Amino acid sequence: MFRLYTRLISIRIRSQMQYPLSFLFDTLGSGFGTLSEFIALWAVFTRFGTVGGWTMPEVALLYGLAETSFATMDMVFSGYDPTFFSTQIQRGMFDQMLLRPLSLPVQIFGSEFIVRRLGRIGQGLAVLLLSFFLNPIQWTLVKIILVPIVIVSTIAFFGGLFIVGATICFWTVESLEAINIFTYGGTTMISYPMHIYGDWVRRFFTFVVPAALLTYYPALYFLGKPDPFGMPPVMPFLAPVAGFAVLATAFAFWQVGVRHYQSTGS
Amino acid sequence: MESIISVADLRKEFKVFRHHRGVSGAIRNLFTHEHRLVKAVDGVTFAIEPGELIGYLGPNGAGKSTTLKILTGILVPSSGEVRVSGRVPWRERRAHVARIGAVFGQRNTLWWDLPVIESLDLLKHIYRVPADRYQQNLNTFRDLLGLDEFLQTPVRSLSLGQLMRANLAAALLHDPDILFLDEPTIGLDVVAKERIRQFIQQINRQRATTVILTTHDLSEVEKLCERVMIIDHGRLLFDGQLEELRQRFGGERELVVDFAEVYEEVSVEGAEVATREGQRVTYRFSRGAVTASTLIGRLSAKYRILDLSVREPEIEATVRRIYEERLLDK
């Protein structure tokens, strides 16, 4: 199973590497594209000093976690990217997948793997490492272990959003833009400290779509900041629960979508 | 013999939503779900025995592809029973598709960026085909389909005919029991069509693979199939031997005669004059009423004839008659 998956993505990777120079520029371009976003963020800080009481390096920690995770997800879950998956359905590729004696996730994960996302991943990692350097973080073993856990959990969270988006394509492709607001907008949102948002927004993204658990609470913990909402001290460690709950829910929804597709064939 | 495919009272309805145009229409679309039901397959029953080669005929939108999608497990029917090799296709998708091969029209199943041979090699792994069996099949198909000329070519650079040949090979590498073909020769030139037809026939005869092919090209069915099923508006209009179809509905034959001179009066008992062009006269007569030789005898007794030929009715015209006159409606 895993060998077939690696075989499938190696096809996608090879075809993207066919023109090495243009691949290189694409990768660098996608990295610099988001870097300019970060520079804009920086400009806001030089003008206002802090955002919600957080300094630039502190927000950079949030931003670095969100960017690294989202970009990695965007590469690994390329096959579930709603924009891509909707064209796959329209081109009849999903029918072809149903005709293969191979599990659907293996086929969909294997159907695309956009390597140039490495540019954005690299940019996110650079900001993250910079923030580690600029913030006076008291590193402990728990904190060191928590960093990769937070990243993997956030990947799972955004992967879940992609899968939900892809599943919606079984019903309609008209709402594609709305789906993209959730995924792309989601990263921007969790790049800022939660407490700058209104109360209901924060509650929604803590208890319903648990985005705040992924980066905000761990960031508070890394930076040694008190929780302004007085939540239980376990909050910084709930990232994996939140991330994988969203991913599991998304897969359950996906099953419903596949059944709907098979009964409508739209 | 146990039927390899059995279908009982199969029905498939689709909801077709009414879409309103414009901005106000888009808003209405969000809140209203006006739709009508389209019965794509409307109570179809048939059984297919192992080794049959069946032509599934019908005009566009008749329900051919929907039936095929249900039999291959892509779609779940609204009601009815389907068994393919003892399995319900959509319930045991992976076990089912491992034992069938399918080529849907011009839909390509191979990897666009890979050379054909690498695509086939990947399928070997996906279907877990034993290495020696794979090699054997590959050699056979290289031979029968002339794969060698494009085996190293990336799939995206293949011509339409080559693409179909490659896809046929891909659909058969794992020795499927049943081969489903949806319009396998659509868009191909005459030579390519012929090659693919011969291949389908060989596979059916040599490997006893059951083949179901949909088409709206009737000459294809005439050349390949003994048994024909005709579907229209989701209902089976005919299910039987091609010969029977011809006899029941293809009654009208034509006799084309070139006379030695232009005659005033060319009528003959048992046939009517269909067209007349100088010395050439075309008669139409009914298969049941008179034989061709009787007719020729009567004509040659009265006139001097240079040349003549008997034309069998094209099945195309036959099927058109079935559609138009609703000959099979109950």
Side-chain angles (χ1 to χ4, degrees):
Chain A
M1 210 75 136
F2 189 73
R3 282 204 44 193
L4 273 169
Y5 166 72
T6 51
R7 264 172 183 277
L8 289 171
I9 60 166
S10 77
I11 296 170
R12 300 303 314 137
I13 295 170
R14 261 193 292 164
S15 86
Q16 291 165 62
M17 302 277 195
Q18 218 165 19
Y19 304 99
L21 205 62
S22 90
F23 169 76
L24 188 71
F25 283 124
D26 267 359
T27 308
L28 290 177
S30 93
F32 282 120
T34 43
L35 189 62
S36 62
E37 208 177 88
F38 181 69
I39 291 166
L41 192 70
W42 200 321
V44 172
F45 276 93
T46 50
R47 178 77 183 75
F48 298 104
T50 59
V51 168
W54 283 40
T55 63
M56 176 67 210
E58 286 167 348
V59 174
L61 174 64
L62 276 179
Y63 180 90
L65 286 172
E67 275 294 306
T68 308
S69 311
F70 181 83
T72 310
M73 184 289 293
D74 208 6
M75 180 167 75
V76 176
F77 285 74
S78 300
Y80 282 101
D81 185 332
T83 314
F84 172 73
F85 188 71
S86 69
T87 61
Q88 288 281 87
I89 293 180
Q90 282 161 4
R91 283 163 49 209
M93 294 312 289
F94 188 69
D95 283 357
Q96 296 298 342
M97 290 180 184
L98 289 170
L99 287 173
R100 297 258 181 256
L102 194 58
S103 85
L104 290 174
V106 171
Q107 294 190 69
I108 296 166
F109 274 115
S111 65
E112 189 55 292
F113 194 91
I114 302 198
V115 193
R116 64 164 183 277
R117 304 271 187 259
L118 282 173
R120 193 171 170 185
I121 296 170
Q123 184 264 156
L125 273 175
V127 173
L128 186 62
L129 292 175
L130 187 72
S131 80
F132 288 162
F133 180 72
L134 293 177
N135 289 304
I137 298 173
Q138 305 283 310
W139 285 105
T140 61
L141 187 63
V142 177
K143 284 184 183 178
I144 291 169
I145 295 170
L146 195 57
V147 173
I149 291 178
V150 164
I151 291 176
V152 170
S153 309
T154 313
I155 291 172
F157 171 78
F158 282 118
L161 292 194
F162 257 30
I163 291 171
V164 169
T167 306
I168 290 172
C169 296
F170 286 130
W171 280 272
T172 172
V173 291
E174 285 170 24
S175 47
L176 215 55
E177 285 306 316
I179 298 166
N180 287 342
I181 288 172
F182 275 99
T183 48
Y184 294 101
T187 16
T188 310
M189 203 200 75
I190 67 167
S191 299
Y192 292 93
M194 271 295 148
H195 57 264
I196 68 166
Y197 301 110
D199 233 18
W200 69 269
V201 176
R202 182 183 56 82
R203 286 211 187 93
F204 181 81
F205 286 104
T206 305
F207 300 110
V208 185
V209 179
L213 297 178
L214 293 163
T215 53
Y216 178 64
Y217 281 99
L220 286 176
Y221 179 71
F222 289 133
L223 298 168
K225 284 176 172 290
D227 177 2
F229 310 109
M231 300 289 275
V234 70
M235 293 300 268
F237 308 102
L238 292 181
V241 179
F244 285 94
V246 167
L247 187 62
T249 312
F251 267 121
F253 179 49
W254 165 262
Q255 296 296 341
V256 176
V258 172
R259 238 169 286 142
H260 171 81
Y261 177 85
Q262 289 195 302
S263 64
T264 59
S266 49
Chain B
M1 197 165 19
E2 182 90 0
S3 298
I4 193 163
I5 298 177
S6 62
V7 172
D9 200 25
L10 185 66
R11 286 167 202 276
K12 181 71 197 172
E13 292 173 349
F14 291 113
K15 280 180 189 172
V16 177
F17 288 94
R18 192 169 297 147
H19 280 266
H20 300 281
R21 283 158 185 267
V23 177
S24 64
I27 294 166
R28 276 177 75 187
N29 285 339
L30 284 177
F31 298 104
T32 64
H33 283 279
E34 295 170 49
H35 64 262
R36 61 198 169 86
L37 278 183
V38 175
K39 294 174 177 174
V41 179
D42 191 15
V44 164
T45 300
F46 59 82
I48 291 170
E49 308 309 319
E52 281 196 280
L53 202 175
I54 291 181
Y56 197 38
L57 270 177
N60 287 331
K64 293 175 304 211
S65 294
T66 305
T67 314
L68 235 56
K69 281 185 176 175
I70 292 169
L71 292 180
T72 51
I74 295 175
L75 283 184
V76 178
S78 308
S79 69
E81 275 188 40
V82 178
R83 290 270 165 175
V84 181
S85 304
R87 291 191 193 91
V88 178
W90 58 94
R91 291 227 179 96
E92 298 164 75
R93 182 184 76 80
R94 283 165 70 181
H96 171 67
V97 296
R99 297 304 316 144
I100 64 167
V103 182
F104 278 85
Q106 292 173 8
R107 289 266 157 84
N108 169 47
T109 66
L110 304 172
W111 285 262
W112 211 237
D113 304 304
L114 288 186
V116 175
I117 185 68
E118 284 186 46
S119 264
L120 298 180
D121 183 66
L122 193 53
L123 288 172
K124 174 181 87 176
H125 292 280
I126 289 178
Y127 286 91
R128 297 162 202 247
V129 186
D132 53 337
R133 187 65 197 145
Y134 170 77
Q135 204 50 52
Q136 241 174 332
N137 277 339
L138 185 61
N139 289 341
T140 312
F141 301 148
R142 276 163 68 173
D143 197 31
L144 291 178
L145 288 166
L147 297 184
D148 281 327
E149 53 178 287
F150 54 84
L151 218 43
Q152 304 298 334
T153 313
V155 172
R156 73 178 114 80
S157 319
L158 297 182
S159 74
L160 202 56
Q162 291 172 333
L163 196 62
M164 182 44 79
R165 277 141 76 191
N167 272 294
L168 272 174
L172 288 161
L173 274 179
H174 56 290
D175 294 308
D177 305 322
I178 310 166
L179 178 62
F180 295 95
L181 300 171
D182 193 15
E183 303 276 1
T185 63
I186 195 165
L188 301 183
D189 64 60
V190 185
V191 181
K193 273 186 182 175
E194 193 47 41
R195 176 166 217 163
I196 284 178
R197 284 174 191 151
Q198 277 179 8
F199 177 73
I200 294 169
Q201 204 153 40
Q202 271 164 324
I203 290 300
N204 173 252
R205 286 191 187 150
Q206 289 166 10
R207 308 186 163 210
T209 308
T210 309
V211 182
I212 300 175
L213 68 99
T214 74
T215 180
H216 62 266
D217 178 359
L218 296 152
S219 62
E220 194 145 285
V221 171
E222 281 189 303
K223 285 178 183 131
L224 280 177
C225 312
E226 283 180 8
R227 178 171 160 198
V228 190
M229 298 196 288
I230 299 174
I231 188 171
D232 194 25
H233 295 294
R235 290 168 168 272
L236 268 191
L237 298 184
F238 179 84
D239 179 359
Q241 301 299 304
L242 182 66
E243 195 45 46
E244 187 195 335
L245 180 74
R246 210 179 259 144
Q247 281 191 355
R248 271 175 72 187
F249 307 106
E252 300 267 283
R253 308 165 88 187
E254 283 180 342
L255 180 67
V256 184
V257 186
D258 286 328
F259 292 113
E261 54 194 275
V262 180
Y263 295 103
E264 247 342 79
E265 184 18 67
V266 291
S267 66
V268 65
E269 193 198 332
E272 57 179 276
V273 178
T275 58
R276 196 171 167 174
E277 247 177 278
Q279 284 149 273
R280 170 169 291 191
V281 178
T282 305
Y283 296 92
R284 196 177 290 144
F285 63 102
S286 159
R287 187 190 294 272
V290 62
T291 65
S293 68
T294 315
L295 211 54
I296 293 165
R298 283 176 194 161
L299 280 169
S300 53
K302 277 164 82 178
Y303 312 107
R304 275 178 53 226
I305 293 169
L306 288 183
D307 196 8
L308 49 78
S309 63
V310 179
R311 269 200 225 143
E312 285 299 325
E314 300 245 327
I315 193 170
E316 192 135 5
T318 309
V319 173
R320 202 178 308 126
R321 263 187 71 206
I322 297 178
Y323 293 145
E324 281 168 7
E325 299 170 27
R326 313 219 133 268
L327 284 174
L328 288 158
D329 268 10
K330 289 140 213 165

